[in-house]
Amino acid sequence: MTTTLLIPGLLCDGYCWTAVTERLDAAVADLSTQDNLTRMAEDLLARHPGPLRVAGHSMGARVTIEMLRLAPERIEKAALLDTGIHPLKPGEREKRAEIVQFAYDNGIQALAERWLPPMVWEENRKNTRLMADLTAMVLRMNPDLHARQIKALVDRPDAEAVLPSVRCPLLVMVGRQDAWSPVAQHEDIVALAPGARLEIIENAGHFAPVEQPQAVADLLVPFLKD
């Protein structure tokens, strides 16, 4: 029996996949305890035996790519949303370390207030319900979890090398206004992965699955089901 698995990103949980899980029987991954992307992928493969259809958002998409590397024969379909494949950039380690310390020094509420707005398209930041729900999600996390997930991202393996060998159907999605993981990064993914399909979600930033939930679900649910 095939399992559909949805993998959240940094500081995220099943809230980001609500529009999908309302229409599709799927498991939502828990990445709250690991501090390594490969370990995250290994744990998910062990926890969900058999064939898989996987969608990952942001950090979760990097975990999806690791699953494709580790067990390509088990992945029937994969979707990568609002993500990237680039290696560590100059200065990134120091910037990530600073925001980890910021969360410890100032608390998770302050982290949410600093981190969330740039991830959301400017027009969508005016949606007080959306921002409140995103903030509530981050407040379900804690600085230790944040530190573990940042460590996983800083120590990330080479994602680019995996893509040319992907043989399963691959859907790549991105918010048009995603400033963190822009459209060009997803065009790079599609250029490397044979047969990959790119879909751009209008009026959405990095949190496309919650900024435009129905538009994302309209594309993702049929892809994962058919």
Side-chain angles (χ1 to χ4, degrees):
M1 181 177 176
T2 299
T3 300
T4 300
L5 181 63
L6 307 174
I7 311 180
L10 175 68
L11 294 173
C12 294
D13 59 20
Y15 161 69
C16 289
W17 297 113
T18 301
V20 177
T21 54
E22 286 176 345
R23 295 160 58 174
L24 182 67
D25 183 16
V28 177
D30 179 1
L31 303 179
S32 61
T33 62
Q34 310 94 332
D35 65 358
N36 180 276
L37 293 183
T38 302
R39 178 59 61 81
M40 291 173 181
E42 291 171 342
D43 288 352
L44 292 176
L45 288 165
R47 197 174 302 150
H48 303 281
L52 293 165
R53 297 184 177 188
V54 185
H57 173 249
S58 193
M59 180 188 74
R62 286 188 175 268
V63 176
T64 302
I65 294 171
E66 270 296 274
M67 295 174 73
L68 285 164
R69 181 182 70 82
L70 293 168
E73 74 286 352
R74 289 185 52 197
I75 311 301
E76 293 183 347
K77 292 184 175 184
L80 310 175
L81 288 75
D82 296 291
T83 192
I85 54 172
H86 54 272
L88 204 65
K89 298 176 181 178
E92 182 179 346
R93 186 180 299 275
E94 293 75 16
K95 289 178 182 177
R96 299 269 196 183
E98 185 276 327
I99 198 167
V100 166
Q101 192 59 49
F102 177 89
Y104 279 120
D105 292 344
N106 299 280
I108 204 74
Q109 176 77 47
L111 176 65
E113 292 171 359
R114 170 180 167 176
W115 178 69
L116 279 173
M119 296 291 170
V120 178
W121 180 40
E122 186 175 4
E123 288 300 308
N124 290 335
R125 292 175 213 164
K126 300 172 185 177
N127 183 333
T128 54
R129 174 65 182 271
L130 170 68
M131 298 307 294
D133 287 346
L134 281 169
T135 299
M137 177 183 69
V138 174
L139 294 181
R140 290 193 285 272
M141 312 303 160
N142 59 66
D144 286 340
L145 179 150
H146 178 240
R148 285 193 295 271
Q149 292 188 342
I150 291 292
K151 180 180 183 299
L153 287 167
V154 168
D155 295 338
R156 60 187 179 263
D158 183 0
E160 184 173 339
V162 179
L163 294 172
S165 64
V166 173
R167 293 295 175 263
C168 70
L170 184 66
L171 174 62
V172 180
M173 302 173 67
V174 58
R176 173 75 73 183
Q177 291 82 17
D178 188 339
W180 182 259
S181 301
V183 171
Q185 289 186 183
H186 299 75
E187 292 171 340
D188 291 343
I189 293 172
V190 171
L192 287 168
R197 171 178 136 219
L198 176 64
E199 295 284 356
I200 298 173
I201 306 300
E202 301 296 337
N203 302 321
H206 190 66
F207 275 100
V210 289
E211 292 181 62
Q212 296 296 336
Q214 298 310 319
V216 169
D218 285 347
L219 292 165
L220 188 56
V221 170
F223 173 77
L224 292 172
K225 284 180 70 173
D226 295 343

